[in-house]
Amino acid sequence: MSVFAVYDEANGVYQITSAGYGLMVAILIGVLLLASFLTKPDQKNVLGTRKLVFSAMAIALATVTSMIELFHAPMGGSITLFSMLFVTLIGYWYGLGTGLFAAIAYGLIQMMIDPYIISIPQMLVDYIFAFGALGLSGVFCNAKHGLIKGYILGIIGRYFFACLSGVIFFGMYGNDYGMSPLAYSMAYNGLYIFIEGGITIAVLFIPAVSKAMVRVKNLACQSSDRRKKKAA
């Protein structure tokens, strides 16, 4: 563990080393490549490379907006400028499989730019499972109002794992507020996840935004046959 991370006794967390960052970059590249190889053309003949490009764009936007924080909680988690939305868009565009791969890749990026690690299990729950759950938006990729339904499912999934982490790894802090570990974790994580979620859903209900999201999905899922016809 000391090769990839060193323990900071003063703060009680692990600091990622250069080798650790290198390992995470390698894993991130591996996840994206695996997603590219496993994602085959579907009935609309959407190419894996197109999915990879649009997914990378969404992850980049999510990463940038995650740095625009309206509120940052002391032990991780923040209200951002719609960063969770950009991650859930990938599942909404391409389905559950691609959505999960992309969300896990985003979780790895978050672990690199804003790490708060006290143990390997906590790292997995907070960064791989919690952020990866945003890819559950793919369950509703073909449903009516699929983006809103998928977004809600994604943030509920993230909330579940964030609460699980809070109960297991940070529940002792609830004593400072006279709260049980579960109540403390639910309140702590619900504060930033559902405030951002509520603001995002309100914006998505604006007709102009809703229509724009549909157009973006059509562009992201545009088939190669359609492009050939346009070229002709």
Side-chain angles (χ1 to χ4, degrees):
M1 186 71 175
S2 61
V3 176
F4 302 108
V6 294
Y7 188 68
D8 182 355
E9 294 185 2
N11 296 310
V13 297
Y14 283 92
Q15 300 292 337
I16 301 173
T17 64
S18 298
Y21 280 113
L23 176 63
M24 284 191 288
V25 170
I27 294 173
L28 175 60
I29 294 172
V31 169
L32 292 175
L33 289 175
L34 183 61
S36 180
F37 283 120
L38 294 182
T39 305
K40 298 179 180 179
D42 57 19
Q43 290 84 356
K44 294 183 179 181
N45 198 30
V46 179
L47 297 178
T49 52
R50 189 175 185 83
K51 292 183 180 182
L52 188 60
V53 169
F54 271 82
S55 297
M57 291 173 57
I59 290 173
L61 286 170
T63 302
V64 171
T65 52
S66 73
M67 298 177 185
I68 305 173
E69 298 178 342
L70 306 179
F71 169 79
H72 187 86
M75 288 173 290
S78 57
I79 301 173
T80 68
L81 191 64
F82 309 118
S83 64
M84 291 190 294
L85 172 62
F86 291 110
V87 182
T88 57
L89 277 175
I90 301 169
Y92 169 62
W93 293 337
Y94 301 125
L96 183 61
T98 304
L100 289 174
F101 273 115
I104 290 172
Y106 176 71
L108 289 170
I109 292 174
Q110 286 300 306
M111 186 164 56
M112 287 188 283
I113 64 177
D114 188 24
Y116 191 94
I117 302 170
I118 61 172
S119 67
I120 291 178
Q122 175 265 330
M123 176 190 73
L124 292 174
V125 175
D126 275 340
Y127 291 97
I128 304 303
F129 299 151
F131 284 111
L134 293 173
L136 292 172
S137 59
V139 171
F140 295 105
C141 66
N142 295 316
K144 185 178 181 181
H145 305 301
L147 177 54
I148 292 176
K149 292 177 181 178
Y151 180 78
I152 292 173
L153 179 61
I155 65 172
I156 288 175
R158 183 186 174 189
Y159 179 66
F160 171 80
F161 285 110
C163 285
L164 180 63
S165 173
V167 170
I168 297 173
F169 305 109
F170 304 101
M172 74 287 293
Y173 294 106
N175 294 329
D176 297 337
Y177 302 94
M179 302 171 69
S180 68
L182 178 60
Y184 172 75
S185 181
M186 291 178 67
Y188 179 95
N189 293 290
L191 175 66
Y192 64 89
I193 290 177
F194 290 125
I195 288 179
E196 179 178 336
I199 294 172
T200 302
I201 292 170
V203 171
L204 289 176
F205 270 112
I206 298 173
V209 174
S210 178
K211 291 178 182 179
M213 290 297 176
V214 172
R215 288 197 294 268
V216 171
K217 180 172 184 176
N218 291 337
L219 180 62
C221 298
Q222 187 178 17
S223 70
S224 58
D225 287 342
R226 185 177 175 184
R227 294 197 303 274
K228 290 178 181 178
K229 289 179 181 179
K230 285 188 175 182

